[in-house]
Amino acid sequence: MSRTSPVLWIRDPLACSDPAARGGLLIQGSRILEKVAAGSQPRQAYDQAWDASRHVLLPGLVNTHHHFYQTLTRAYTPALNKPLFPWLTTLYDVWAGLDDEQMQIASELAMVELLQSGCTTVADHHYVFSGALRQAIDCQAETAQRLGVRAALTRGSMSVGREQGGLPPQSVVQDEKTILDDSLRLIRRYHQREDGAMVTIALAPCSPFSVSRELMRESAALAQREDVRLHTHLAETEDETAYCEKLFGMRPLDYLEEQDWLSDRTWLAHGIHFNDDEVRRLGQAGTGIAHCPSSNMVLGSGLCRTIELEAAGAPVGLAVDGSASNDHSNLAQEMRQAMLLGRLRYAPGQVTHEAVIRWATQGSARCLGRWDIGGLEVGQQADLALFTLDELRFSGAENPLAALLLCGADRADRVMVAGQWRVIDGQPCGIDLQELMQRHQQAARRLRDKVLDAAAV
């Protein structure tokens, strides 16, 4: 950080998730310089002050699991009202037509949508590599850099197609060497290791039922050698458990452990169907869980055991999951959904608004292996989300922080990433939203038309 960088005081927020910063924050460069107590002046000199008295201040929200490309197949009629496996097999034939242009547009729209919801670190799990899609992760890294958002990108994969008893069509299946070679290329090219990293790469075989044992084990070995993280879907449905027991003779978590995945290097999407012993083992290993409440509800998958997992020692983060099973990329709305869904399993005093905000910030950061984001501590990155309560839905709210979830906040007024404003007055800086939506809708239509054209042949 340059000593000549100006110091900004974000002063006197209406409310703040950190009680020690109710008087605001001093920001210098990309970092938090000081927390200011309520009613106090900063101890250090500052150059500018920005009045946050209308705003509720949170750390920037951190997403832990998504499929950006699925924004192109939202509310897709043939896939509606189906559980996971039939839903997947219906959509795989659509996604098999993805090309680089569609991938870039889908990624840009998903990132912008997340950013508007107060999300400063986006994550994606991309595992569909059609013959026409050659630069999927590259275009995501470049788009994130252009938008100025942090991105945890994963090189996903599928190596077991329908001919081998898997779910995906053969056209999106790759051999293990191709997958591992490209994974190493992406790590070497894009993965940043320094504090404040803007782009990180993880290895993410799609699921135990779409990749080989060899790929699971070799991915874990490569991640160990290159010191990157591991990610996959696990324990999402009871069908998955039955599939693993039939194919491997063991439950999903046992299979994962056999492939050297049960560690604090790993975070798992969904993590619904774990028994008590598995919860204990996950906590002991420090394996993270990306909780995806909306997607779990849409597909009827079940309820994640968030409270027990967190109590056992497993980091619990929050995720919007793919836009074809959630149909939005809004992490602020996902917080409300997590609170409401959690109360179907737990007492209201356990799934509080404070707990869910913690999952969406600190817990999510831990899932991604990050300690420099997800909080408002001095020295952490200046990633902030500020919400106003000037809509009808908030009128009469006495507790501003609780109102964000209870009254349904869905858009941040201001978002800062690494000390730079990226959303001002609810609008992403430098983005023509109408033009972006027009390009995106055209790309979605073109992708769907490929299916119709193929059926007509």
Side-chain angles (χ1 to χ4, degrees):
M1 182 192 307
S2 170
R3 292 184 180 180
T4 60
S5 297
V7 177
L8 171 67
W9 179 19
I10 298 177
R11 61 177 298 171
D12 300 322
L14 177 65
C16 180
S17 59
D18 185 342
R22 286 181 177 159
L25 298 168
L26 287 192
I27 307 298
Q28 185 177 35
S30 67
R31 297 180 185 272
I32 296 171
L33 183 64
E34 181 183 331
K35 293 196 285 188
V36 182
S40 300
Q41 290 285 314
R43 297 186 301 275
Q44 304 177 64
Y46 59 91
D47 301 286
Q48 305 168 42
W50 186 78
D51 181 6
S53 59
R54 294 173 50 244
H55 294 80
V56 180
L57 172 61
L58 305 181
L61 308 183
V62 179
N63 193 41
T64 53
H65 182 69
H66 202 345
H67 307 293
F68 292 163
Y69 72 92
Q70 290 183 12
T71 61
L72 298 168
T73 51
R74 294 198 244 226
Y76 181 63
T77 299
L80 295 178
N81 310 317
K82 293 182 177 181
L84 178 64
F85 280 15
W87 174 86
L88 275 173
T89 54
T90 299
L91 282 164
Y92 273 142
D93 291 328
V94 184
W95 300 333
L98 276 169
D99 62 30
D100 288 322
E101 181 185 13
Q102 292 163 340
M103 186 67 194
Q104 189 284 317
I105 295 169
S107 298
E108 182 176 358
L109 185 125
M111 291 182 197
V112 170
E113 189 178 358
L114 283 163
L115 189 60
Q116 284 190 289
S117 74
C119 179
T120 53
T121 299
V122 304
D124 193 55
H125 182 190
H126 187 76
Y127 53 84
V128 175
F129 288 85
S130 67
L133 187 60
R134 304 187 181 281
Q135 300 293 320
I137 312 303
D138 299 80
C139 82
Q140 290 183 328
E142 292 158 7
T143 299
Q145 290 165 345
R146 176 166 54 82
L147 294 175
V149 299
R150 296 190 200 279
L153 304 176
T154 70
R155 205 304 180 176
S157 54
M158 294 190 289
S159 65
V160 176
R162 290 173 187 166
E163 293 178 4
Q164 295 83 35
L167 296 179
Q170 295 301 124
S171 60
V172 295
V173 167
Q174 296 178 305
D175 64 82
E176 284 80 359
K177 185 178 187 305
T178 297
I179 292 164
L180 293 168
D181 286 351
D182 193 50
S183 297
L184 183 59
R185 178 188 70 83
L186 290 165
I187 293 168
R188 297 282 172 84
R189 180 166 182 178
Y190 295 111
H191 185 68
Q192 299 172 0
R193 302 181 182 277
E194 67 273 15
D195 198 47
M198 294 298 291
V199 177
T200 59
I201 300 292
L203 306 184
C206 178
S207 64
F209 47 83
S210 56
V211 300
S212 65
R213 287 177 183 263
E214 292 75 21
L215 182 59
M216 288 293 288
R217 194 172 293 116
E218 286 301 315
S219 294
L222 180 58
Q224 177 76 26
R225 289 195 302 272
E226 294 296 320
D227 191 22
V228 298
R229 295 184 72 74
L230 289 165
H231 183 52
T232 193
H233 298 95
L234 200 81
E236 183 175 356
T237 67
E238 291 176 336
D239 286 346
E240 177 191 328
T241 301
Y243 186 98
C244 286
E245 288 176 335
K246 180 179 179 181
L247 193 64
F248 307 123
M250 61 185 79
R251 289 173 58 83
L253 189 67
D254 297 325
Y255 175 74
L256 200 78
E257 185 171 21
E258 185 183 75
Q259 312 314 317
D260 299 326
W261 273 63
L262 190 59
S263 75
D264 60 2
R265 187 181 298 280
T266 300
W267 87 103
L268 306 171
H270 302 288
I272 298 170
H273 297 283
F274 293 128
N275 60 34
D276 291 347
D277 179 64
E278 290 167 340
V279 169
R280 178 191 61 77
R281 288 158 57 197
L282 286 159
Q284 195 171 46
T287 300
I289 304 296
H291 178 35
C292 308
S294 291
S295 175
N296 296 346
M297 294 170 74
V298 168
L299 296 174
S301 301
L303 282 71
C304 180
R305 300 177 65 180
T306 50
I307 298 298
E308 292 103 320
L309 284 160
E310 191 174 43
V316 173
L318 204 59
V320 300
D321 198 12
S323 290
S325 65
N326 177 338
D327 299 284
H328 70 68
S329 306
N330 191 304
L331 200 51
Q333 289 185 340
E334 207 65 37
M335 287 197 296
R336 184 174 195 267
Q337 203 77 293
M339 184 183 71
L340 298 179
L341 181 62
R343 291 187 180 187
L344 292 178
R345 179 186 285 274
Y346 305 104
Q350 291 179 286
V351 187
T352 64
H353 65 277
E354 295 101 334
V356 176
I357 291 171
R358 181 180 68 247
W359 294 343
T361 54
Q362 183 186 81
S364 287
R366 300 296 177 269
C367 283
L368 301 181
R370 302 289 295 262
W371 298 88
D372 56 339
I373 61 174
L376 300 177
E377 298 301 323
V378 172
Q380 286 189 303
Q381 291 292 300
D383 292 3
L384 311 174
L386 297 102
F387 296 82
T388 57
L389 306 182
D390 54 3
E391 300 175 61
L392 291 176
R393 73 180 79 185
F394 300 111
S395 184
E398 181 269 333
N399 185 319
L401 196 63
L404 292 181
L405 278 69
L406 290 167
C407 303
D410 65 350
R411 180 172 294 189
D413 182 68
R414 286 261 180 162
V415 178
M416 175 180 282
V417 185
Q420 299 294 316
W421 291 118
R422 298 301 182 187
V423 172
I424 296 176
D425 298 331
Q427 299 301 309
C429 299
I431 300 296
D432 184 332
L433 292 178
Q434 290 302 316
E435 187 270 341
L436 174 58
M437 284 191 291
Q438 183 178 30
R439 285 191 289 120
H440 185 267
Q441 287 165 355
Q442 289 172 348
R445 194 177 306 115
R446 187 162 59 85
L447 182 62
R448 294 193 302 267
D449 287 347
K450 289 182 182 179
V451 178
L452 296 175
D453 292 344
V457 174

